[in-house]
Amino acid sequence: MQRSFTLLYTSLLGICLGSGSSFPSNINIGGLFPNVSHEYEVFRFALSHHQDIPKLVPQVDMVLMGNSFSMTYAFCSQFSKGVYAIIGLYDRKTVNMLMSFCGALHVCFVTPSFPIETANQFVIQLRPELQDALVGVIEHYGWTKFVYMYSSDSGLSVLQKVLDTAAEKNWLVTSVNVESMTGASFLKVFQDLDKRKEGQIIIDCETERLTGILKEIVEQGKNAKSYHYILANLGFLDIDLTDLRKGGANITGFQLVNNSEPSVSRIVQQWMEFDNKDSKVPKTGLKYMGALTYDGVKVMSTAFQNLRRQRIDISRRGNAGECLANPPAPWGQGIDIQRALQQVRIDGLTGHIQFNEKGRRTNYTVSVMELAPSGPKKVGYWNEDEKYVTTASLIRASNDTYGLLNRTYIVTTILESPYVMLKKNHEPLVGNDKYEGYIVELAAEIAKHVGYHYKLKIVSDGKYGARDPETKMWNGMVGELVYGKADLAVAPLTITLVREEVIDFSKPFMSLGISIMIKKPTKSKPGVFSFLDPLAYEIWMCIVFAYIGVSVVLFLVSRFSPYEWHAEDYEEGAEPQTPTQAAASNGVQLSQTPMQQNANQQSPEQTNEFGIFNSLWFSLGAFMQQGCDISPRSLSGRIVGGVWWFFTLIIISSYTANLAAFLTVERMVSPIESAEDLAKQTEIAYGTLDAGSTKEFFRRSKIAVFEKMWSYMKAADPSVFVKTTDEGVMRVRKSKGKYAYLLESTMNEYIEQRKPCDTMKVGGNLDSKGYGIATPKGSPLRNPVNLAVLKLNEQGLLDKLKNKWWYDKGECGSGGGDSKDKTSALSLSNVAGVFYILIGGLGLAMLVALVEFCYKSRTESRRMKQSINDAMRCSTLTRMSGNGSGGENGRILTHDFPKTVQTLPCMSHTASMGLGASGM
């Protein structure tokens, strides 16, 4: 009995040992990976986690994925070495070659690459098919018109499923192959989509290609809220969506790896701690392709363990053949390995792993993700049984202020006085404390009203923002918003159409227009005869002619009117004397004709005071408002006088009203007064800021004057465009009046108030526009910021800030750089002309008096038959002694035959006797 038991035990032990020895303890597996790949690093990590018997021994070749020769050589080399199965990657150029070898040689190929339609059961596809899940999501969103962008590597099978469904459901699908598309091609595609108002887009590409496409989308500003993208890729969390999120675009995708599972997170943590000294790539998180590779190693390890437990002989002793043999010699045990791989049922990093009879994943679950303001969120899942199931607790766009709190936003701005300036002691300061200015305070007020934290960032290229006509790329602050480098732009950024197409603006916080800045011309000193400036030259000429005309009319009226003639008055009531009687009384007898005697007896002598000289004197006295001792007696003469007085009243009043301003204000003569003045001359150059809204205004304007100005600026050599406003201002100051700078009126007014106070704004604004706060398209900040601007405007804070930084801190005063001048005091130069006229008049009077004296003395010398010297001496003594009768109007009447002529000391006895003899 004991012997029988011993024999039975020995037999069973022999059977077990025999069976155990028929299954190898080491399993050679091949690996085909590209150089420096994430999948290869994970493959090595997975092997270190699966050391159970049978142990997997790798035979790895690093190959070029797109090189069929390299793949063929590596595959045949591994087959000749007796590998039991191969794990690796393929692309569209090598997939058919691998399928042929695997089918002909019965070698299993386990791959995480994109799924393909094939009847070859020796290809074990780890990646699940996505087309059914994608169609489910499209139906969930209710899309009926969308664009499908795909790569020919992986997207054709999914596209076919989508097109088949579209035909059934009457969807309108536009397919675009992005395999070899360049940046310019992308721009054209998106321009066409914009024209057709296409905003729903599906992108089906591998991760690397998808990353490049998303970068193009951000650069072209197509990450706005009006766009909705579905990323047909199973690694939603592997993609950097930071820049895309800043634009507010709706992003939906799929996630295969569930990082919230404890078993998955534990493996991911071990991967991050895995020390691979031979690694040539920087350590990154475990991506979904790496997770598929890890699961592939786990599937192979599980399959060979199952084969070992089943005691299936898979040894390849002497069975390693030539892969290129004709006809091919398939490996007999390949069918067993293929069945073992397809029968694996495990839970891996990518969820439940199960294969159908064709080697494809089945009974799997894919998470559906959306990009919320705070980051990626799971909103549902899809599986074969339940289809699409929504689990979202977040409703997109339900609250624009979602996530505003407890986040620091990047606010881009530009160094421009008085908007943003560095403080004088900014070196020890950090952050926002280094800056001061209008925009700095405005940004703080808006952040306080909206309720977010922010950090000011000066734009790197120092530009406001314009699109390059060649590259179509945006620069400046607009570019930073478009490409996701900033969340907000608080700056003197002009609201324009082209900018509004790629970013959003708030309501204007400041209104302005394009204005002209020139160097302040030298103030014109008042001339010697500046007192004549209140009236134009034409008016003075008219006054002179009116004066002469009125005097002539007054003379003529007085001559024709009988009421201006009257008898001459005599002193001390003496009777009027005829000339004959007057001569007789002086001892002179004159012979008279009978007619003269009759006339002398009929009427006394009639006189008229308004001779031509008296008329001129009367008009001058009235004009000077001094009056005169003669006045018209006739009605006609008084009418002339009254009209002349009224005329002089108005003229003198108007003159006096303007005289003070013309004498006390030093006027500046500006060579340019408007844009028309600039356009019609070429002596003064003019230009704008390069890459700014002012330049765009002239480039796009259809007004003839502005078109002419743009043609000049575009063709000017040297260039009239400047890179910064400071450069433009310095050019104005140094050009000696030969350069005019076109800029916003607000900046023009500010610079005019800064030392050295040598610039000025001329003319009105050329247009009307406003500064706004800019946000990326679809940003949740837009509405809160807009409301904050309106609130600040209603509270008057915007006007208060402008007065503070423009005028309260001005250095030139309200009147410019010479505001300290005494504008109310007259200097000698203001009234020098009056003194010149006074001196000239006095000199002229002396000269005329001298001429009159000489003329009268000459006449007297001839009449008295004296020498000219004696006559002048006699006249001088007579006038200096006060003799002579006073006449009207201050005239001295000297009679030809004075009564006291015999007693004059200058009269000789002989002359007296002569007169007496003649009188007899």
Side-chain angles (χ1 to χ4, degrees), residues 444-463:
E445 290 291 337
I446 290 175
K448 183 173 68 175
H449 280 77
V450 177
Y452 63 84
H453 302 285
Y454 71 99
K455 178 183 179 182
L456 289 175
K457 176 188 173 186
I458 305 301
V459 61
S460 56
D461 58 5
K463 296 182 179 180

Side-chain angles (χ1 to χ4, degrees), residues 716-746:
D717 186 24
S719 175
V720 293
F721 300 109
V722 295
K723 295 181 180 180
T724 63
T725 300
D726 290 339
E727 181 183 343
V729 174
M730 291 304 297
R731 189 166 176 179
V732 169
R733 288 173 171 166
K734 294 181 178 180
S735 62
K736 298 181 180 179
K738 299 301 181 182
Y739 180 78
Y741 184 45
L742 300 163
L743 74 168
E744 280 82 2
S745 57
T746 50

Side-chain angles (χ1 to χ4, degrees), residues 646-693:
F646 176 77
F647 172 81
T648 58
L649 172 66
I650 301 301
I651 292 296
I652 296 301
S653 299
S654 302
Y655 173 82
T656 306
N658 291 331
L659 180 62
F662 275 84
L663 292 182
T664 58
V665 177
E666 294 180 348
R667 293 175 296 164
M668 293 180 294
V669 180
S670 174
I672 297 296
E673 294 292 346
S674 64
E676 289 77 7
D677 293 343
L678 278 178
K680 65 186 180 183
Q681 59 82 48
T682 57
E683 182 180 357
I684 299 177
Y686 49 91
T688 69
L689 180 70
D690 200 5
S693 62

Side-chain angles (χ1 to χ4, degrees), residues 597-802:
Q597 292 176 359
N598 186 30
N600 291 337
Q601 292 174 357
Q602 288 178 359
S603 63
E605 182 181 1
Q606 298 289 318
T607 62
N608 192 324
E609 294 177 337
F610 283 94
I612 188 61
F613 291 105
N614 275 4
S615 298
L616 291 170
W617 179 251
F618 172 82
S619 299
L620 182 61
F623 184 77
M624 295 298 181
Q625 295 187 334
Q626 298 302 313
C628 183
D629 55 355
I630 60 173
S631 61
R633 297 184 179 183
S634 64
L635 178 60
S636 57
R638 291 178 178 179
I639 291 175
V640 175
V643 172
W644 177 244
W645 289 341
F646 176 77
F647 172 81
T648 58
L649 172 66
I650 301 301
I651 292 296
I652 296 301
S653 299
S654 302
Y655 173 82
T656 306
N658 291 331
L659 180 62
F662 275 84
L663 292 182
T664 58
V665 177
E666 294 180 348
R667 293 175 296 164
M668 293 180 294
V669 180
S670 174
I672 297 296
E673 294 292 346
S674 64
E676 289 77 7
D677 293 343
L678 278 178
K680 65 186 180 183
Q681 59 82 48
T682 57
E683 182 180 357
I684 299 177
Y686 49 91
T688 69
L689 180 70
D690 200 5
S693 62
T694 304
K695 182 179 179 181
E696 284 295 311
F697 167 79
F698 283 100
R699 189 173 69 86
R700 295 175 176 271
S701 178
K702 300 300 180 183
I703 301 175
V705 174
F706 300 150
E707 285 182 332
K708 184 177 180 181
M709 294 175 68
W710 170 247
S711 299
Y712 165 79
M713 290 188 287
K714 184 172 58 174
D717 186 24
S719 175
V720 293
F721 300 109
V722 295
K723 295 181 180 180
T724 63
T725 300
D726 290 339
E727 181 183 343
V729 174
M730 291 304 297
R731 189 166 176 179
V732 169
R733 288 173 171 166
K734 294 181 178 180
S735 62
K736 298 181 180 179
K738 299 301 181 182
Y739 180 78
Y741 184 45
L742 300 163
L743 74 168
E744 280 82 2
S745 57
T746 50
M747 182 59 65
N748 200 347
E749 294 166 0
Y750 172 76
I751 295 173
E752 190 174 356
Q753 294 294 319
R754 313 305 294 178
K755 290 182 179 180
C757 307
D758 57 351
T759 65
M760 65 179 293
K761 173 187 173 184
V762 293
N765 294 341
L766 308 187
D767 67 341
S768 178
K769 53 191 173 183
Y771 288 151
I773 297 173
T775 57
K777 279 286 186 182
S779 172
L781 285 171
R782 180 187 180 185
N783 287 338
V785 168
N786 209 17
L787 294 176
V789 171
L790 292 175
K791 186 174 182 181
L792 292 174
N793 188 31
E794 292 177 357
Q795 293 176 348
L797 186 60
L798 297 180
D799 293 333
K800 182 179 178 181
L801 286 177
K802 183 174 181 181

